[in-house]
Amino acid sequence: MDFELRILGSSSATPSANRHNTAQILTIGNQYHLIDCGEGTQMQLMLYKIKHQRISNIYISHLHGDHYFGLAGLLSTMHLQGRQAPLHLFGPPGLSEILSLQFKYSGTNLSFKLNFHELDTTVHKKVFEDKQLTVHTIPMEHRIPCCGFLFREKQKPRPLIKENLPSFLTPPQLVRLKWGEDVYDGEGKLLVKNREVTMDPKRSRSYAYCADSRYKPDLLPYLNEVDLLYHEATFADDLRERAEYTFHSTARQAAELAANAQVRQLLIGHFSVRYKDLNPLLNEARSVFPDTDLATEGSIFSVVE
Amino acid sequence: MDFELRILGSSSATPSANRHNTAQILTIGNQYHLIDCGEGTQMQLMLYKIKHQRISNIYISHLHGDHYFGLAGLLSTMHLQGRQAPLHLFGPPGLSEILSLQFKYSGTNLSFKLNFHELDTTVHKKVFEDKQLTVHTIPMEHRIPCCGFLFREKQKPRPLIKENLPSFLTPPQLVRLKWGEDVYDGEGKLLVKNREVTMDPKRSRSYAYCADSRYKPDLLPYLNEVDLLYHEATFADDLRERAEYTFHSTARQAAELAANAQVRQLLIGHFSVRYKDLNPLLNEARSVFPDTDLATEGSIFSVVE
């Protein structure tokens, strides 16, 4: 199954000549999760031939325009193209009010059901769950309410080793084996030992999206050993004071978090427009955490099972 | 002095792979007037190297997203780049409320004064005037309140023919001559006949922007003999009923208005995404009004004095 992140925008605050504002598509199986939606996101989706019809969930980290000014346009386009499938929208207080006002004045009655989930950005809390996935908020420290999102595949079933399976097993017993249980008879006597008839399951993959925030080492418990960590790196470390003052982070700080959380791979983004060349930011992060990459427009990062 | 229109977007409803939503820059002298502001307008301004700092006035025709979803982003960028100069914003009821809500939740206190002028879209009325220009609303007929805008240079002074000027003329008399008056002495006796010492002034140029509307022949009095008429042409005439039903116009209808108003040049835009090739729309309009052009991205239309 796919577990793949596509970057649509990497610019902080304002777009620049070749960088768009924040938006990412996380593909899990055949569903798209859109994370933030800066202005022009619907055009970026077209550019990369990503069908917005397949977006099931949209997550907005906070209400600075560079993270959501493309949302009303994307929702309008979905509506104008006759979307029927319901959509889950997760965002901080205020987002629903803004969209409702825009749709009121445009006379828009959406063609699909928009399920709005208002987020408490101050807590780590499960906000979405389906058969294969959970999504939790990650509290950020920014100038306005802001959270990140932790996407984690659920535990996967243990594949059965067919040639080792006794023929007397019933379907419910087979299900329990897939989920790691041994099989006992009515008197509690062990009939089949799980480890002898199943293999280890495929890995449960994870992606943590850390939106705009000051350096916040107390995030570590949420980020521990995730496969893929995105962390904003608006500035290089020589502007650490400016980062602190504006509630942003530096590339070095992002890398320190990644190293301490022992993640597999770090992606940095949300670059200040002052950086035409991003290599100094990348090198700074890699000096602390070598498995770092730039989350620039069009990049794809896959996590294998 | 420049009187020049630059097209930033030509797509109706949703952007397409190579067409942006509506936005235009009208340059008059050294001032930019931004007319409508679809999503991505600030990126289009960058693409064409148009400095948003020089925009003095922004006009929003109506609150369908394809005409204003780029506005909050553009204003935010002006703010983030420290704009000091005040800005005039003209728009229908609701626009100010929407922006205020967005800025409230983003914690934005604009760095410049935003003078909002709420429009009555049902009347033809002067909404702006400076030394060189007047701007009037043009009532449209759309699904929601919508107006166009008529930009007209003021009458220009009559150049003096220096070699014909008697030496006794005082500065106030010279000013009156420039504005077409004859000069009399205290007893009402004609001293200088205007036509003998002045030349005809340069032309006062005009541009009429007709935003989304059903075909509306009662616009004719407002459009009479304008130099440049932009009129939406969402559909070709075989979809006239659909145009009527959706409160839009066809290319033929736009051309009929242009012909009846005896304008100099017609520009058509706001094309439905169904038209990959715009030539059928252009040819249809030209069959009625030959001086028609497509208002496509990047096009520039100048009006000479």
Side-chain angles (χ1 to χ4, degrees):
Chain A
M1 196 173 77
D2 283 342
F3 191 103
E4 183 180 281
L5 184 71
R6 167 79 93 152
I7 308 300
L8 303 177
S10 71
S11 188
S12 74
T14 67
S16 68
N18 52 7
R19 294 210 290 267
H20 283 72
N21 279 145
T22 303
Q24 304 183 352
I25 285 280
L26 179 67
T27 304
I28 299 181
N30 59 3
Q31 277 193 321
Y32 292 154
H33 298 257
L34 174 63
I35 307 166
D36 278 339
C37 189
E39 183 176 355
T41 294
Q42 61 173 323
M43 288 85 124
Q44 290 291 88
L45 289 170
M46 274 190 283
L47 179 65
Y48 298 117
K49 303 193 189 309
I50 297 168
K51 292 188 189 306
H52 59 71
Q53 293 86 340
R54 279 174 57 189
I55 296 174
S56 59
N57 293 12
I58 301 178
Y59 308 83
I60 302 297
S61 63
H62 66 300
L63 295 184
H64 281 152
D66 56 326
H67 292 258
Y68 88 98
F69 278 168
L71 179 61
L74 176 61
L75 296 178
S76 297
T77 293
M78 288 172 165
H79 161 72
L80 289 164
Q81 296 186 2
R83 181 185 177 114
Q84 297 288 316
L87 184 77
H88 291 288
L89 173 62
F90 303 82
L95 180 57
S96 175
E97 187 184 351
I98 290 167
L99 291 172
S100 297
L101 195 64
Q102 290 179 306
F103 291 142
K104 174 184 130 185
Y105 281 111
S106 62
T108 301
N109 186 8
L110 287 178
S111 67
F112 59 92
K113 182 153 175 48
L114 184 63
N115 298 305
F116 182 70
H117 306 265
E118 188 167 287
L119 301 176
D120 179 350
T121 61
T122 65
V123 295
H124 179 64
K125 188 183 165 190
K126 184 165 72 186
V127 293
F128 180 74
E129 179 172 16
D130 65 10
K131 279 185 191 171
Q132 57 199 20
L133 179 78
T134 60
V135 183
H136 287 74
T137 48
I138 308 173
M140 299 282 121
E141 188 179 345
H142 200 43
R143 295 194 298 280
I144 59 172
C146 179
C147 66
F149 301 99
L150 175 62
F151 300 83
R152 195 182 283 281
E153 283 186 313
K154 288 184 173 175
Q155 188 192 335
K156 297 175 184 177
R158 302 181 66 83
L160 301 173
I161 306 169
K162 285 187 180 160
E163 54 274 29
N164 295 2
L165 286 176
S167 56
F168 59 78
L169 288 168
T170 62
Q173 288 172 326
L174 289 171
V175 168
R176 287 202 291 274
L177 281 168
K178 283 185 183 174
W179 293 106
E181 295 179 29
D182 299 323
V183 177
Y184 296 87
D185 69 8
E187 279 91 51
K189 182 184 157 205
L190 181 68
L191 293 180
V192 183
K193 197 163 166 56
N194 192 293
R195 296 282 153 169
E196 290 167 2
V197 299
T198 68
M199 292 184 288
D200 282 343
K202 291 184 176 173
R203 300 177 54 247
S204 295
R205 297 163 291 185
S206 53
Y207 172 53
Y209 170 81
C210 289
D212 297 15
S213 186
R214 264 186 188 159
Y215 178 56
K216 199 166 184 288
D218 59 358
L219 292 182
L220 281 175
Y222 312 129
L223 310 181
N224 194 39
E225 293 186 3
V226 298
D227 290 293
L228 207 52
L229 166 64
Y230 167 89
H231 198 286
E232 72 122 299
T234 308
F235 300 108
D237 210 55
D238 61 334
L239 294 180
R240 186 180 275 240
E241 279 183 24
R242 181 164 176 80
E244 174 78 12
Y245 171 71
T246 58
F247 289 78
H248 285 297
S249 300
T250 71
R252 170 176 291 276
Q253 289 173 327
E256 284 169 359
L257 262 184
N260 291 329
Q262 299 181 63
V263 309
R264 280 201 171 191
Q265 186 178 8
L266 169 66
L267 310 175
I268 54 173
H270 199 264
F271 309 116
S272 163
V273 292
R274 77 191 62 207
Y275 302 108
K276 308 296 176 220
D277 175 10
L278 299 175
N279 279 311
L281 294 167
L282 180 61
N283 294 336
E284 178 178 299
R286 283 187 172 168
S287 72
V288 176
F289 188 78
D291 292 328
T292 303
D293 282 291
L294 296 172
T296 47
E297 284 71 6
S299 313
I300 296 177
F301 303 95
S302 290
V303 184
V304 293
E305 275 183 303
Chain B
M1 195 173 78
D2 283 342
F3 191 104
E4 184 180 281
L5 183 71
R6 167 80 92 152
I7 308 300
L8 303 177
S10 70
S11 187
S12 75
T14 66
S16 68
N18 52 7
R19 295 210 289 268
H20 283 71
N21 279 147
T22 304
Q24 305 183 351
I25 285 280
L26 180 65
T27 304
I28 299 180
N30 58 3
Q31 277 193 322
Y32 292 155
H33 299 256
L34 174 62
I35 308 166
D36 278 339
C37 189
E39 183 176 356
T41 295
Q42 60 173 323
M43 289 85 124
Q44 289 291 88
L45 289 170
M46 275 190 282
L47 179 66
Y48 298 117
K49 302 192 190 310
I50 297 168
K51 292 187 189 308
H52 59 69
Q53 294 85 339
R54 279 174 57 187
I55 296 174
S56 59
N57 294 12
I58 301 179
Y59 308 82
I60 301 296
S61 62
H62 65 302
L63 295 185
H64 280 152
D66 57 324
H67 292 257
Y68 89 97
F69 278 168
L71 180 61
L74 177 60
L75 297 178
S76 296
T77 293
M78 289 173 165
H79 161 73
L80 288 165
Q81 296 187 0
R83 181 183 176 114
Q84 297 288 316
L87 185 76
H88 292 288
L89 173 63
F90 304 82
L95 181 57
S96 175
E97 187 184 351
I98 291 168
L99 292 173
S100 297
L101 195 64
Q102 291 179 306
F103 291 141
K104 174 185 130 186
Y105 282 110
S106 62
T108 301
N109 186 8
L110 287 179
S111 67
F112 58 92
K113 183 153 174 47
L114 185 65
N115 299 304
F116 182 69
H117 306 264
E118 188 167 289
L119 300 175
D120 179 350
T121 60
T122 65
V123 295
H124 179 65
K125 187 182 165 191
K126 184 164 72 185
V127 292
F128 180 74
E129 178 172 16
D130 66 8
K131 278 185 190 171
Q132 57 200 20
L133 180 78
T134 59
V135 183
H136 287 74
T137 49
I138 308 173
M140 299 282 121
E141 188 179 343
H142 200 42
R143 294 193 299 280
I144 59 173
C146 179
C147 66
F149 301 98
L150 175 62
F151 300 82
R152 196 181 283 282
E153 283 186 313
K154 288 183 171 175
Q155 188 191 336
K156 297 176 184 177
R158 303 181 66 83
L160 301 173
I161 306 168
K162 285 186 180 160
E163 55 272 28
N164 295 3
L165 286 175
S167 57
F168 59 77
L169 287 168
T170 63
Q173 288 172 326
L174 289 172
V175 169
R176 287 201 292 275
L177 281 169
K178 284 185 182 175
W179 293 106
E181 295 179 29
D182 298 323
V183 176
Y184 296 88
D185 68 8
E187 278 91 50
K189 182 185 158 204
L190 182 66
L191 292 180
V192 181
K193 196 162 167 56
N194 192 293
R195 296 280 153 169
E196 290 167 2
V197 298
T198 70
M199 291 184 289
D200 282 343
K202 290 183 177 174
R203 300 176 54 246
S204 296
R205 295 164 293 185
S206 52
Y207 172 52
Y209 170 81
C210 289
D212 298 15
S213 186
R214 262 185 188 159
Y215 178 57
K216 201 167 183 286
D218 59 358
L219 293 182
L220 281 176
Y222 313 129
L223 310 182
N224 195 38
E225 293 186 4
V226 297
D227 291 293
L228 208 52
L229 166 64
Y230 166 89
H231 197 285
E232 71 123 300
T234 308
F235 301 107
D237 211 54
D238 60 334
L239 293 180
R240 184 181 277 241
E241 278 183 25
R242 181 164 177 81
E244 174 79 11
Y245 172 71
T246 58
F247 289 77
H248 285 297
S249 300
T250 71
R252 171 176 290 277
Q253 290 172 327
E256 283 169 0
L257 262 184
N260 291 330
Q262 300 180 65
V263 308
R264 279 202 172 189
Q265 186 178 8
L266 170 66
L267 311 176
I268 55 173
H270 200 263
F271 308 115
S272 163
V273 291
R274 78 191 61 208
Y275 301 107
K276 307 295 177 221
D277 175 9
L278 300 175
N279 279 311
L281 294 166
L282 180 61
N283 294 336
E284 177 179 300
R286 282 186 173 169
S287 71
V288 176
F289 188 79
D291 292 327
T292 303
D293 282 291
L294 297 172
T296 47
E297 284 72 5
S299 314
I300 296 177
F301 303 95
S302 291
V303 184
V304 293
E305 274 183 304

